[in-house]
Structure formats: C-alpha cells, structure tokens
Amino acid sequence: MATTVRRAVLTLPAAPLGPPNPLPGLRPLDETHVLDERSRDGLPREMARQIGFGPLRTLLPVRVLDGYGRERAETDLDTIVIENDRLRATVLPGLGGRVHSLLHKPTGRELLYRNPVFQPAQFALNGAWFSGGIEWNIGATGHTTLSCAPLHAAVVPAPDGGEMLRLWEWERLRDLPFQVDLWLPADSDFLHVGVRIRNPHERTVPVYWWSNIAVDEAAGTRVLAPADEAWHFGYEHRLRRVTVPESDGVDRTYPPRSEYPADYFYDVPDETRKWVASLDADGQGLVQTSTDRLRGRKLFLWGSGRGGRRWQEWLTEPGTPGYAEIQAGLARTQLEHVPLEAGAEFSWLEAYGPLTADARTVHGEDWRAAREETDRRLESALPRERLDAAHQAWRPYADSEPVRSLTTGSGWGALEVLRGGFKLPGTPFDESTLGEEQQPWLELLRGGAFPYPRKVTPPGPTLVGQHWRDMLETAPAEPLTEYHLGVAQWHAGDLAQAVRSWERGLGLAPSRWPLLRCLAVADRLAHNGQRAADLYAEAFDDLCQERRDGEEWTAATAALGREAIDALLAADRTAEARGVWQRLRPAVRESGRFRLAEARLLLAEGDRKGARAVFDAGFEVADLREGAEILGEIWSALSDEPLPDRYDFRMRPPPAADPRG
C-alpha cells in the first residue's frame, strides 16, 4: 500500500471553545512553572543561563481562551489521515495539528493515549488546552497558545517520492514561523516528523519546543530513557537533581507509584542516542527518538493521589484509563529557552513507532540492563544512522511548495510577511488568508493611521512587536490608537509610558472601559489596591452602559466582571463587589466560575452557611487553572471536614507533608 494523505471526519463528544476573552493578556496566566530563586543555586551554567533567558512578561499579542464550558455534544472534527501498510496517523489540523491517534495496523495496537472526548481546560499559556495524542509545543514554558488553534495544512512531496503532510503557522509569542512535516516511508513502522523553526528577524529570539506524547498509564507500564539522573520539578517550584529510576525510595519510572504530579527531566548524556519509551508489562509500547538537536527527554506523571486522579477525570471522563506524558524538547528542562540567532533556523527529525523488548529485562531490577535492552531493540528497529540519513534526505524537501492545500490557519503570518517582506520557501503565508482581525493593522501598515471600527464593539487584538509599536507612535493620537499603543508599550516593559498613553486616551474616548481596565491592572500590579478597585468599578459601570447583545459583549462583561469582583474583594469593598455580581446577566451568574465568586462574596459578607450551601449544591469552574488551590482555600474557611473529591485538584503536598513528592 502506497502512503496516502487524505481528509476525514472524527466525531467526538466535544465542549465548544466559546469566544476569546476581549481583554488583553497583560499578565501571564501561568504561574505554575516558575522556579523558586533558591533552586537556581548550583545549576549547570548553561541551564541557569537559559532559565533566565526570555521569560514571558505578558501573553500578548495572543488572546486568552476561557469561554469554554463542560457541556459536551457529539461534534464532527476535521482530520487528516496519513496511512501506509503499517501505521495510520490521525491529525487534527484545527486543533494545533495534534496527532490524535497512531495505530499500528499489524497488531491493532493504539500507540498513544487517545482521548475519547474533546474537553478544553486551562493548561495552555493562553487558557484552552486538551489532553491526549502528540502535541507540538512552541512558544514559551507551558502548553502552546496554538493548542486549540487551526494550522495551515497541505500535501507536499516526501523524500521517498510519496506524499507528506505539512503543518505550519506563525507562532506569535516569539514572532516566528515554524513547520511540522509528517510522513510514512514505504513499509515503515515509524512515523517520521521533520520540524523546522526559522528566525527571519535581525535579532536573536528565545525558542522553546517540546513534543508531548500522551501514553496509557496501565498498571505495570514503565517509562525508560537513557539516563541515570533526572531533574525533578514539582508544584513546589523547586528544581533538584535526583537518581533514576529510584528517588526518595520510590521507582518513579512507574507513573502510578508517585503520589503527586511532577516532571522528571532526564539528564541524557550528550553523546547518547536520544529516545524515550513507554513499555507495558509485556514489554510492548511506543518509542520516540530523534536526531540530536532535540536533546531533552521528560516524564510527566499525574501520580496516584486524589488531585492527580481528579485532574485526569476532569480532562476526559470517569472510567477512562489514566495517562502519562513522555516528552522531547530542545533544552534539558522546560524552564529553559534556547537562543536562535538572527537569520538562523533549528531543524531536526523525530520518529514515533511501536517497540517490543524483553519484558523480564525491561521490568527487572537492573536499570542499566533495562535501558540497554530498550536501546538495542530500538537500534534494531530503526538504526541511528538511518534516522540521521532520513533527516538529511528531508532537509531539501523542507522548502518544497505545497501541491494541495488541505486547511487554512490564521492570517497573522500573512500580515507579518507583508510587513517584513520575508521569503519563507515551503511555508506560504498568502494574502488571501488575511481576515477581519488583521484588517485594521493592514490599514495602519499601508496608510499610517489606525482606523476606528464601524460599529461599537470591544477593541480587537493588539499587535506588540517593535515595528507595530513604532507605527502606533507615529499614527494620529486617537483614543483607540492610544489604547493599542499603551498595550504595546506595556508588553515592551515600558509600564510608565503605557500608563501615560492610556491616560491620554481617556480624555476623548467614547468607550472608556478598555482604558480604565488597563489602568486598573497597572495599579494592582503596583500594589495600589484601592485605586485599582476604583478603576475597576468605574470600568465595569461604563461597560454596562455601553454593552450590546452578542457573544463578544457577553464575554467582555464576564471577563471584566470577574476581574472587578476579585479586585474589590481584595480591597475589602464587599458591597461594591456584590453590586458587580448583581449586574451580570443571569446566565453568566449561573456558570461555575461565578458560583465560586458567589461563594467568595457570601464568605466575605459573613454568611458562611450560604457559602457552604453553594459548595453543597455543586458547581464546576470550567477554566480552573492548573495548580490552582482556590477551592481548597475557600473550603477550609467554611469547614473542618476533608475537601470533597469533586473539588480536590491539589497538585502538591500540604505544607506539613514531605515535599519531595
């Protein structure tokens, strides 16, 4: 059977994504993967340097995705299927290019953890993310902002003369184009994946990449990698070196044996072949290997504790087998960003396929023998030299132009190519992809002025690159221009100038609430809590007077109302916070995130019984953040009873427990 690339449809119970949050992401959402300063002492020099290189200050220019819920309905998802005699790979081009399934046809074995539902949760850098399959993480520490975004996809020629699937997009946090090429050589048991990240700019850019592979966490499954040590990172924000396989008296290569979620970044020697495998009790499973550019290998495990089990249910459905993630990345740990010089590129080749090893050796007490057995079986199935040769054979084809378009991503890449005049063979960002969101920026680029919208609407997204900031600074100083300029200045770290731009815009702005909200964020960050509360109250009042019907207005009201309630409660202005809650529309107040807000309000008002009744009635906060402990904190103020299972999402030990996880 010749390798084929075809379109298909996958039907799953799916929760709708909902509209993007109209408020600009002036602060990162992810505080989970921040390293405690004390942990930096004694780190290898390169690791310490890369941990401190290019941390995110904001989420800009990307918008937050937090409008999803938890009510699922049967939904058709577009897929692209790559198939030969040995493997069938199913790709979701509209959801970050995720490989949903990798089926080994001779044995009928699914090699990945295949999620039976599509359920967004707040794990991505910008919110919505879902579990399962193989995901391509580019941008910054955490799950990519493209987790639930469409990519461009097309058929291109493969190195062996067949067909290859190309996925590509413009990653906006780092302002970089990238591509992922997937193909199946004839009669191959391995899916080949060529990745290229290019830096078309005249400056060095911090780069992050991790390929995350979800695998079944069945009893007896062991994760193996060619390392005797690892860097452990848990939700206590500490990074420390541990031994492999056993640390703190537990063999951590069997995921269910740990109690709490944790990362184990394997310290793979430079000269060693790079691979990671997940093999079950019979010695069968999946192996991932790559050329040496992709140096890092990792195990993420949920652990057997209540919080980890609850998260697994939350991301899929009760009764579904658990999963772990084996991962491969550019750096030794996910806390690092690697410099990519001006005009340069990174490229590498990955391979994914089935592996069978001697079960007694793989699961024996001799760790060295277990990993040498795995390495030997991998070398027999796919020799290292053959993989390196396949990478070299693919490199000329990375520039091949698409021969058949399959799906279309965003128009942001086309806008950047127009602005910068970039030449990017193999990844066309055509002007035909420019859409409504890009239109005002296209007018600024061509005419030097930022246009006002034709209807009253929340502001669109802000571009924050230096080139766009320069254009905004020379454009006529209209209120909407000042708003966008302030957002761009904030992203650049010029906080004082951003505040001045927003204050200038307020004078003549027909719509004041977007500017007031930005000023409120600035005051809250500066620990001016009362003034921030004043500004939030004024902003919400202005929005309520201006808002219209429609999805984007509902999203804006919910987002600003949530922030305003939080700021007012922090300033001990409970009555005003209650006033904001009362002006939310009934459907918004009934959502889980605002049922939690109601419990907080009742507690602040001294009505512990009423707050407890909210918990007893039950609610689900659809966008509960990874690592968030708010549910447990409020419960502990209401009751001495144990936190109910449905609210237990704790990902670290309580303070009195052993923090070594």
Side-chain angles (χ1 to χ4, degrees), residues 393-430:
W394 165 71
R395 287 300 305 280
Y397 288 83
D399 284 345
S400 298
E401 295 300 325
V403 297
R404 187 168 82 250
S405 177
L406 297 173
T407 64
T408 301
S410 78
W412 295 114
L415 184 64
E416 292 299 337
V417 167
L418 273 176
R419 183 207 59 79
F422 303 126
K423 305 299 181 184
L424 300 168
T427 55
F429 293 94
D430 194 83

Short mmCIF file of all heavy atoms in Angstrom, two decimals, residues 393-430:
data_model
loop_
_atom_site.label_atom_id
_atom_site.label_comp_id
_atom_site.label_asym_id
_atom_site.label_seq_id
_atom_site.Cartn_x
_atom_site.Cartn_y
_atom_site.Cartn_z
N ALA A 393 18.00 13.59 4.16
CA ALA A 393 17.19 13.45 2.95
C ALA A 393 15.99 14.38 2.96
O ALA A 393 15.54 14.86 1.91
CB ALA A 393 16.73 11.99 2.80
N TRP A 394 15.45 14.64 4.17
CA TRP A 394 14.27 15.52 4.27
C TRP A 394 14.60 16.98 4.08
O TRP A 394 13.78 17.75 3.55
CB TRP A 394 13.62 15.33 5.65
CG TRP A 394 12.65 16.41 6.01
CD1 TRP A 394 11.41 16.62 5.46
CD2 TRP A 394 12.83 17.44 6.99
NE1 TRP A 394 10.81 17.72 6.04
CE2 TRP A 394 11.66 18.24 6.98
CE3 TRP A 394 13.85 17.77 7.87
CZ2 TRP A 394 11.51 19.35 7.82
CZ3 TRP A 394 13.70 18.87 8.71
CH2 TRP A 394 12.54 19.64 8.68
N ARG A 395 15.80 17.42 4.48
CA ARG A 395 16.12 18.84 4.51
C ARG A 395 15.81 19.57 3.19
O ARG A 395 15.18 20.63 3.20
CB ARG A 395 17.59 19.05 4.89
CG ARG A 395 17.91 18.80 6.37
CD ARG A 395 17.11 19.73 7.26
NE ARG A 395 17.31 21.12 6.91
CZ ARG A 395 18.34 21.87 7.27
NH1 ARG A 395 19.30 21.35 8.02
NH2 ARG A 395 18.44 23.13 6.89
N PRO A 396 16.20 19.04 2.00
CA PRO A 396 15.85 19.75 0.76
C PRO A 396 14.35 19.85 0.53
O PRO A 396 13.86 20.80 -0.10
CB PRO A 396 16.53 18.91 -0.33
CG PRO A 396 17.57 18.11 0.37
CD PRO A 396 17.04 17.85 1.74
N TYR A 397 13.59 18.87 1.06
CA TYR A 397 12.14 18.87 0.85
C TYR A 397 11.43 19.82 1.80
O TYR A 397 10.24 20.10 1.61
CB TYR A 397 11.60 17.44 1.02
CG TYR A 397 11.97 16.53 -0.11
CD1 TYR A 397 13.22 15.89 -0.14
CD2 TYR A 397 11.11 16.33 -1.18
CE1 TYR A 397 13.58 15.07 -1.19
CE2 TYR A 397 11.45 15.50 -2.24
CZ TYR A 397 12.70 14.88 -2.24
OH TYR A 397 13.05 14.07 -3.30
N ALA A 398 12.12 20.31 2.82
CA ALA A 398 11.51 21.27 3.73
C ALA A 398 11.13 22.56 3.02
O ALA A 398 10.24 23.29 3.48
CB ALA A 398 12.45 21.56 4.90
N ASP A 399 11.79 22.85 1.90
CA ASP A 399 11.48 24.06 1.12
C ASP A 399 10.47 23.80 0.01
O ASP A 399 10.09 24.74 -0.70
CB ASP A 399 12.76 24.61 0.49
CG ASP A 399 13.65 25.34 1.49
OD1 ASP A 399 13.16 25.66 2.58
OD2 ASP A 399 14.83 25.58 1.17
N SER A 400 10.03 22.56 -0.15
CA SER A 400 9.09 22.24 -1.23
C SER A 400 7.78 22.99 -1.03
O SER A 400 7.24 23.03 0.08
CB SER A 400 8.82 20.74 -1.29
OG SER A 400 10.00 20.03 -1.57
N GLU A 401 7.26 23.54 -2.09
CA GLU A 401 5.99 24.26 -2.00
C GLU A 401 4.81 23.29 -1.98
O GLU A 401 4.88 22.20 -2.58
CB GLU A 401 5.84 25.23 -3.19
CG GLU A 401 6.86 26.35 -3.19
CD GLU A 401 6.79 27.22 -1.94
OE1 GLU A 401 5.67 27.44 -1.42
OE2 GLU A 401 7.85 27.68 -1.48
N PRO A 402 3.75 23.64 -1.29
CA PRO A 402 2.57 22.76 -1.23
C PRO A 402 2.00 22.48 -2.62
O PRO A 402 1.99 23.37 -3.49
CB PRO A 402 1.58 23.57 -0.38
CG PRO A 402 2.43 24.48 0.44
CD PRO A 402 3.60 24.82 -0.42
N VAL A 403 1.53 21.25 -2.81
CA VAL A 403 0.90 20.89 -4.08
C VAL A 403 -0.61 20.78 -3.93
O VAL A 403 -1.33 20.83 -4.93
CB VAL A 403 1.48 19.56 -4.62
CG1 VAL A 403 2.95 19.71 -4.92
CG2 VAL A 403 1.25 18.42 -3.64
N ARG A 404 -1.10 20.63 -2.70
CA ARG A 404 -2.55 20.54 -2.49
C ARG A 404 -2.88 21.07 -1.09
O ARG A 404 -2.47 20.50 -0.09
CB ARG A 404 -3.03 19.10 -2.63
CG ARG A 404 -4.56 18.96 -2.58
CD ARG A 404 -5.02 17.58 -3.00
NE ARG A 404 -4.95 16.59 -1.94
CZ ARG A 404 -4.09 15.59 -1.90
NH1 ARG A 404 -3.19 15.44 -2.86
NH2 ARG A 404 -4.10 14.71 -0.90
N SER A 405 -3.62 22.16 -1.04
CA SER A 405 -3.99 22.75 0.25
C SER A 405 -5.09 21.92 0.90
O SER A 405 -6.02 21.45 0.23
CB SER A 405 -4.45 24.19 0.06
OG SER A 405 -4.88 24.74 1.28
N LEU A 406 -5.00 21.77 2.23
CA LEU A 406 -5.99 21.00 2.97
C LEU A 406 -6.78 21.86 3.96
O LEU A 406 -8.00 21.75 4.03
CB LEU A 406 -5.31 19.85 3.72
CG LEU A 406 -4.60 18.80 2.85
CD1 LEU A 406 -3.83 17.83 3.73
CD2 LEU A 406 -5.61 18.06 1.98
N THR A 407 -6.10 22.69 4.74
CA THR A 407 -6.78 23.58 5.69
C THR A 407 -6.02 24.90 5.76
O THR A 407 -4.86 25.01 5.36
CB THR A 407 -6.85 22.97 7.11
OG1 THR A 407 -5.53 22.81 7.63
CG2 THR A 407 -7.57 21.63 7.10
N THR A 408 -6.68 25.90 6.32
CA THR A 408 -6.10 27.24 6.43
C THR A 408 -6.02 27.65 7.90
O THR A 408 -6.97 27.45 8.66
CB THR A 408 -6.95 28.27 5.67
OG1 THR A 408 -7.03 27.88 4.29
CG2 THR A 408 -6.34 29.67 5.76
N GLY A 409 -4.88 28.21 8.29
CA GLY A 409 -4.69 28.70 9.65
C GLY A 409 -5.12 30.15 9.77
O GLY A 409 -6.10 30.58 9.17
N SER A 410 -4.35 30.94 10.52
CA SER A 410 -4.69 32.34 10.74
C SER A 410 -4.07 33.23 9.66
O SER A 410 -3.22 32.79 8.89
CB SER A 410 -4.19 32.79 12.12
OG SER A 410 -2.80 33.05 12.08
N GLY A 411 -4.48 34.50 9.67
CA GLY A 411 -3.91 35.47 8.74
C GLY A 411 -2.76 36.27 9.31
O GLY A 411 -2.22 37.15 8.63
N TRP A 412 -2.34 35.96 10.56
CA TRP A 412 -1.29 36.78 11.18
C TRP A 412 0.05 36.60 10.48
O TRP A 412 0.82 37.56 10.36
CB TRP A 412 -1.17 36.43 12.66
CG TRP A 412 -2.40 36.78 13.43
CD1 TRP A 412 -3.26 35.92 14.05
CD2 TRP A 412 -2.93 38.09 13.65
NE1 TRP A 412 -4.28 36.60 14.64
CE2 TRP A 412 -4.11 37.94 14.42
CE3 TRP A 412 -2.54 39.38 13.28
CZ2 TRP A 412 -4.89 39.03 14.81
CZ3 TRP A 412 -3.31 40.47 13.67
CH2 TRP A 412 -4.47 40.28 14.43
N GLY A 413 0.35 35.39 10.01
CA GLY A 413 1.59 35.19 9.29
C GLY A 413 1.64 35.99 8.00
O GLY A 413 2.67 36.57 7.65
N ALA A 414 0.52 36.03 7.28
CA ALA A 414 0.47 36.80 6.04
C ALA A 414 0.73 38.28 6.31
O ALA A 414 1.43 38.96 5.55
CB ALA A 414 -0.89 36.61 5.36
N LEU A 415 0.18 38.78 7.42
CA LEU A 415 0.39 40.18 7.77
C LEU A 415 1.87 40.45 8.07
O LEU A 415 2.44 41.46 7.62
CB LEU A 415 -0.47 40.55 8.98
CG LEU A 415 -0.44 42.01 9.42
CD1 LEU A 415 -1.01 42.92 8.34
CD2 LEU A 415 -1.21 42.19 10.72
N GLU A 416 2.52 39.55 8.80
CA GLU A 416 3.94 39.74 9.13
C GLU A 416 4.82 39.62 7.89
O GLU A 416 5.81 40.35 7.76
CB GLU A 416 4.37 38.74 10.20
CG GLU A 416 3.75 38.97 11.56
CD GLU A 416 4.10 40.33 12.16
OE1 GLU A 416 5.13 40.92 11.77
OE2 GLU A 416 3.34 40.80 13.02
N VAL A 417 4.47 38.72 6.99
CA VAL A 417 5.25 38.59 5.75
C VAL A 417 5.11 39.85 4.90
O VAL A 417 6.08 40.33 4.31
CB VAL A 417 4.80 37.33 4.98
CG1 VAL A 417 5.35 37.34 3.56
CG2 VAL A 417 5.26 36.07 5.71
N LEU A 418 3.91 40.40 4.84
CA LEU A 418 3.71 41.66 4.11
C LEU A 418 4.55 42.78 4.72
O LEU A 418 5.19 43.56 4.01
CB LEU A 418 2.24 42.06 4.15
CG LEU A 418 1.33 41.50 3.06
CD1 LEU A 418 -0.11 41.93 3.32
CD2 LEU A 418 1.77 41.97 1.68
N ARG A 419 4.53 42.86 6.05
CA ARG A 419 5.26 43.93 6.72
C ARG A 419 6.77 43.78 6.56
O ARG A 419 7.48 44.75 6.28
CB ARG A 419 4.92 43.96 8.21
CG ARG A 419 5.59 45.09 8.98
CD ARG A 419 5.78 44.74 10.43
NE ARG A 419 6.59 43.55 10.62
CZ ARG A 419 7.91 43.52 10.56
NH1 ARG A 419 8.58 44.61 10.25
NH2 ARG A 419 8.57 42.40 10.77
N GLY A 420 7.27 42.54 6.74
CA GLY A 420 8.71 42.34 6.75
C GLY A 420 9.31 41.95 5.42
O GLY A 420 10.53 41.93 5.29
N GLY A 421 8.47 41.61 4.44
CA GLY A 421 9.00 41.17 3.15
C GLY A 421 9.79 39.87 3.24
O GLY A 421 10.74 39.65 2.49
N PHE A 422 9.41 38.99 4.15
CA PHE A 422 10.16 37.76 4.39
C PHE A 422 9.96 36.76 3.24
O PHE A 422 8.87 36.65 2.67
CB PHE A 422 9.72 37.10 5.70
CG PHE A 422 9.85 37.99 6.90
CD1 PHE A 422 8.77 38.22 7.73
CD2 PHE A 422 11.06 38.60 7.20
CE1 PHE A 422 8.87 39.03 8.85
CE2 PHE A 422 11.19 39.42 8.31
CZ PHE A 422 10.10 39.64 9.14
N LYS A 423 11.01 36.02 2.94
CA LYS A 423 10.96 34.92 1.98
C LYS A 423 11.08 33.62 2.75
O LYS A 423 12.11 33.34 3.37
CB LYS A 423 12.10 35.04 0.96
CG LYS A 423 12.15 36.37 0.22
CD LYS A 423 10.88 36.62 -0.58
CE LYS A 423 10.95 37.94 -1.34
NZ LYS A 423 9.69 38.25 -2.05
N LEU A 424 10.02 32.83 2.73
CA LEU A 424 9.96 31.62 3.54
C LEU A 424 9.55 30.44 2.67
O LEU A 424 8.39 30.00 2.68
CB LEU A 424 8.95 31.80 4.68
CG LEU A 424 9.27 32.94 5.66
CD1 LEU A 424 8.07 33.22 6.56
CD2 LEU A 424 10.49 32.58 6.50
N PRO A 425 10.48 29.90 1.86
CA PRO A 425 10.14 28.78 0.98
C PRO A 425 9.53 27.62 1.77
O PRO A 425 9.99 27.26 2.84
CB PRO A 425 11.50 28.38 0.39
CG PRO A 425 12.37 29.58 0.54
CD PRO A 425 11.90 30.28 1.77
N GLY A 426 8.48 27.08 1.22
CA GLY A 426 7.84 25.91 1.81
C GLY A 426 6.68 26.22 2.73
O GLY A 426 5.84 25.35 2.98
N THR A 427 6.62 27.45 3.25
CA THR A 427 5.53 27.81 4.16
C THR A 427 4.90 29.12 3.69
O THR A 427 5.17 30.19 4.25
CB THR A 427 6.04 27.95 5.61
OG1 THR A 427 7.13 28.88 5.64
CG2 THR A 427 6.51 26.61 6.15
N PRO A 428 4.06 29.07 2.69
CA PRO A 428 3.45 30.29 2.17
C PRO A 428 2.41 30.86 3.12
O PRO A 428 1.54 30.14 3.61
CB PRO A 428 2.81 29.83 0.86
CG PRO A 428 2.54 28.38 1.06
CD PRO A 428 3.64 27.87 1.93
N PHE A 429 2.53 32.14 3.39
CA PHE A 429 1.51 32.86 4.16
C PHE A 429 0.85 33.84 3.19
O PHE A 429 1.25 34.99 3.06
CB PHE A 429 2.15 33.58 5.34
CG PHE A 429 2.71 32.66 6.38
CD1 PHE A 429 4.05 32.28 6.37
CD2 PHE A 429 1.89 32.14 7.38
CE1 PHE A 429 4.56 31.43 7.33
CE2 PHE A 429 2.39 31.27 8.34
CZ PHE A 429 3.73 30.92 8.32
N ASP A 430 -0.16 33.34 2.51
CA ASP A 430 -0.76 34.06 1.38
C ASP A 430 -1.66 35.19 1.86
O ASP A 430 -2.33 35.08 2.89
CB ASP A 430 -1.56 33.08 0.53
CG ASP A 430 -1.92 33.66 -0.82
OD1 ASP A 430 -1.08 33.61 -1.73
OD2 ASP A 430 -3.05 34.19 -0.93
#
